[in-house]
Each structure stands twice: as C-alpha cells, then as structure tokens.
C-alpha cells in the first residue's frame, strides 16, 4: 500500500512556489500579496488562517490580515472586499468561511473580483470549472487531484466515486475528474447503498464530514482512497483526536494507496492556496 504523505508532497510544492517567488523578486517585481479576511471567533477558522499566513511567510508571499468582530455587518464585509478588489497591491483575496451568523457568504464571495478569487469559490470560476474551461481551481480538490495523479498519471476510463457534493470539495472534485476523462459518480447523504457504490471505485474521494464513514469492506482491492474529512472526536481514553471520513486501519488492509488524517489532504490545500496566489499575481 502506498501511503500518500501529504506533508512531504506539500513541502515539495511549497519549495517550487518559494523558488518562483524568489525568481520574481530577483526580476525586480514585488512579492505576491494575499489578503485574508477573518470574521468572528470560530476556533477552527483561526487555526486555518494561522496556518495559511505562516505558509505564505515561508514562501515569501505577503499576507495582509483583516480581522473583524463576530457582529460585523454584511455592509462592512462588502465594503472591505470592494476596497481589496480596488487595491493594486493585493493579488489574492481569501474570505475565511464560515462567516458569522447574519452574514451572507454567497453575496460576499460573489463580490470578490474573480481574478483575485484564490479559493476558486466565485460563481464565475466555479462555472468555468464546471464547463471544463481554464479556471481558478479550489485548493482542496486541486490537492486531491495532485495526490491521485501521483498514483495514476492517466485517469482516462477509471471509475471514480466522490462522496460529498459540497461546492468546496465534492462538486469541483467531480469536475476535475471528468476533465481527466474518469467516469465519475457523485454520492451524497441521499445515495442508496453507498457501500456497494464505493466498492466499484478505482478512485474513491471521501468528503462527507462523517467520522470513519467508509469501512474497509467498502473499498475495492487496490483502490486509491483520498480521505478529505477532518473530524474531531473523543477517543475511549477521553482524549480528543482527529479522524478522517475513512476507517484508516481497515482501509490500509485493502487500498492500493491511501491518505492519512492528519497529514494527507490538509497540507496540500495550503500548498495550492500559495500556488493560486502566485498565479493571481501574474
Ligand atoms: P459539507 O458538510 O459542506 O458537505 C458534506 C457532503 O457530504 C454533503 O454533500 C452531504 O450530502 C455528504 N454526506 C454527508 N453525510 C453523508 C453520508 N452519511 N453518506 C454520504 N454522503 C454524505 O462538507 P465539506 O465542506 O465538503 O467538507 C467535508 C469534509 O472535508 C469535512 O470533514 C471537512 O472538515 C473536510 N474538509 C477538509 C479540507 C482539507 O483541507 N483537508 C478542506 C475542506 C473540507
């Protein structure tokens, strides 16, 4: 079984980005800049933003943090996005989701200038991706595809099952796999007989947010399994730990390639955010 070591693979990608940023600077251009908007006090969001800002610093991307209180108004958020859109010193804009209650995330995301939308969540970018046009690709599915292509450089004709249909992971993942000529089935909470469907997959991507949903006997012998889930659970010893959407020890007995949680898809997500920011800088 190939253990897809996301930390090591992401470190390679970050080193490439760092070299490209250094080449820009050597050519007399300014460092790429990412504006990060964090509203409210969701602890997970704070942790994600900390990681993203640190990763920017390590490759030479400037990050500009905008922290707003949990009672921020929609108008204030939209005004900030408009200001960042107009600022020529800002290449990428990331609005960390979820937004506090009372804010409309769709409206805020749609207000971001599409060429600064490094998350790839703007409807224009999402639509382009769905059409198979060149677009900004959301970071998590881009990371999953990178891992999959390490194992299968050619996906044509392979059977792929994506569990989850969210705009952040499942849907863009399906579009990326279709564009690589895989045969794709998207499963979700209303899918009948999920275990049987999963067993048909050469490539199984699981993004359901359900701890250890996928068991070993749902997996075809030799399949490539990408576990996107990040779930905080309390173990029998009372200790909190992170688990994925796949029962790792069981899956490791049957899968041909498998991502761990943590240390699988997560680091790739951050590495692709840096890539998207560099790309937005032109
Ligand atoms: P979401 O809640 O928006 O979507 C979950 C999807 O899973 C839905 O489409 C739902 O229909 C489906 N689903 C739920 N229960 C199911 C079940 N029992 N059977 C089949 N399908 C089911 O979540 P999301 O934003 O797509 O994230 C999914 C998971 O991935 C979460 O655990 C999240 O924390 C994680 N995540 C990780 C990264 C990363 O960088 N590693 C990035 C984004 C999300």
């Amino acid at each position: 079984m190939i253990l897809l070591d996301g930390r090591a693979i992401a470190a390679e990608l970050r080193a490439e980005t760092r070299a490209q940023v250094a080449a820009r600077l050597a050519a007399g251009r300014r460092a790429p800049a990412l504006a990060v908007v964090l509203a409210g006090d969701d602890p997970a969001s704070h942790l994600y933003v900390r990681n993203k800002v640190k990763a920017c610093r390590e490759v030479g991307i400037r990050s500009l943090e905008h922290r707003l209180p949990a009672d921020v108004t929609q108008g204030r958020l939209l005004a900030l996005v408009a200001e960042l859109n107009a600022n020529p010193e800002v290449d990428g804009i990331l609005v960390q989701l979820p937004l506090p209650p009372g804010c409309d995330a769709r409206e805020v995301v749609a207000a971001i200038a599409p060429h600064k939308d490094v998350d790839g969540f703007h409807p224009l970018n999402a639509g382009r991706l769905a059409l198979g046009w060149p677009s900004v690709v959301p970071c998590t599915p881009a990371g999953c595809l990178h891992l999959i292509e390490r194992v299968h450089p050619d996906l044509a004709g392979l059977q792929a099952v994506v569990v989850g249909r969210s705009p952040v992971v499942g849907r863009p993942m399906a579009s990326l796999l279709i564009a690589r000529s895989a045969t794709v089935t998207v499963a979700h909470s209303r899918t009948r007989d999920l275990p049987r469907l999963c067993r048909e997959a050469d490539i199984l991507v699981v993004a359901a947010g359900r701890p250890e949903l996928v068991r070993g006997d749902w997996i075809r012998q030799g399949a490539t399994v990408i576990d996107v889930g990040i779930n905080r659970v309390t173990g029998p010893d009372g200790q909190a730990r992170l688990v994925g959407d796949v029962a790792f020890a069981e899956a490791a007995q049957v899968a041909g390639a498998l991502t761990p949680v943590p240390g699988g898809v997560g680091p790739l997500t951050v590495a692709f955010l840096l890539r998207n920011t560099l790309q937005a800088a032109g």
Side-chain angles (χ1 to χ4, degrees):
M1 201 265 300
I2 302 169
L3 185 68
L4 290 164
D5 181 348
R7 287 197 183 108
I9 296 170
E12 287 170 23
L13 293 174
R14 289 199 308 269
E16 265 174 38
T17 304
R18 191 184 310 121
Q20 286 162 352
V21 171
R24 271 176 71 95
L25 296 178
R29 303 180 66 195
R30 67 162 173 77
L34 174 67
V36 182
V37 179
L38 175 58
D41 30 46
D42 177 56
S45 293
H46 277 258
L47 176 66
Y48 294 148
V49 165
R50 250 198 325 275
N51 288 342
K52 290 169 186 176
V53 165
K54 178 165 166 262
C56 281
R57 196 167 44 238
E58 282 168 8
V59 300
I61 291 175
R62 258 181 86 209
S63 60
L64 314 153
E65 271 185 83
H66 295 266
R67 289 177 184 246
L68 299 166
D71 61 358
V72 64
T73 62
Q74 182 78 0
R76 172 74 189 100
L77 271 170
L78 291 172
L80 175 58
V81 168
E83 194 185 300
L84 298 170
N85 283 343
N87 185 345
E89 300 283 308
V90 170
D91 301 300
I93 302 171
L94 180 155
V95 177
Q96 183 66 42
L97 302 179
L99 291 177
C103 295
D104 178 352
R106 285 188 188 178
E107 194 188 11
V108 173
V109 168
I112 296 171
H115 65 283
K116 295 192 178 186
D117 166 39
V118 286
D119 264 334
F121 297 161
H122 188 282
L124 187 80
N125 287 319
R128 291 178 66 101
L129 183 65
L131 291 170
W133 295 10
S135 65
V136 182
V137 177
C139 306
T140 300
C144 295
L145 183 68
H146 185 84
L147 292 172
I148 293 166
E149 288 186 321
R150 289 264 168 149
V151 186
H152 309 275
D154 180 9
L155 298 180
L158 293 182
Q159 203 74 38
V161 172
V162 178
V163 182
R165 57 178 162 183
S166 76
V168 176
V169 192
R171 279 170 205 252
M173 187 74 245
S175 296
L176 288 171
L177 290 164
I178 292 167
R180 298 295 186 288
S181 298
T183 302
V184 183
T185 307
V186 179
H188 47 76
S189 52
R190 307 293 295 274
T191 296
R192 275 184 284 158
D193 204 351
L194 186 62
R196 185 193 54 75
L197 192 68
C198 290
R199 263 177 232 121
E200 287 174 13
D202 301 306
I203 297 161
L204 181 60
V205 181
V206 192
R210 299 279 176 269
E212 301 181 328
L213 170 72
V214 173
R215 314 304 312 188
D217 63 357
W218 296 24
I219 296 168
R220 173 189 279 197
Q221 188 76 41
T224 294
V225 181
I226 307 293
D227 187 354
V228 185
I230 303 177
N231 308 289
R232 279 177 184 78
V233 297
T234 308
D237 54 359
Q239 294 288 318
R241 62 192 179 104
L242 285 187
V243 297
D245 289 351
V246 176
F248 182 84
E250 291 176 22
Q253 304 294 314
V254 264
L258 177 62
T259 57
V261 175
V265 174
L268 270 289
T269 297
V270 178
F272 273 90
L273 171 68
L274 304 177
R275 280 194 153 195
N276 282 355
T277 304
L278 178 60
Q279 195 181 311

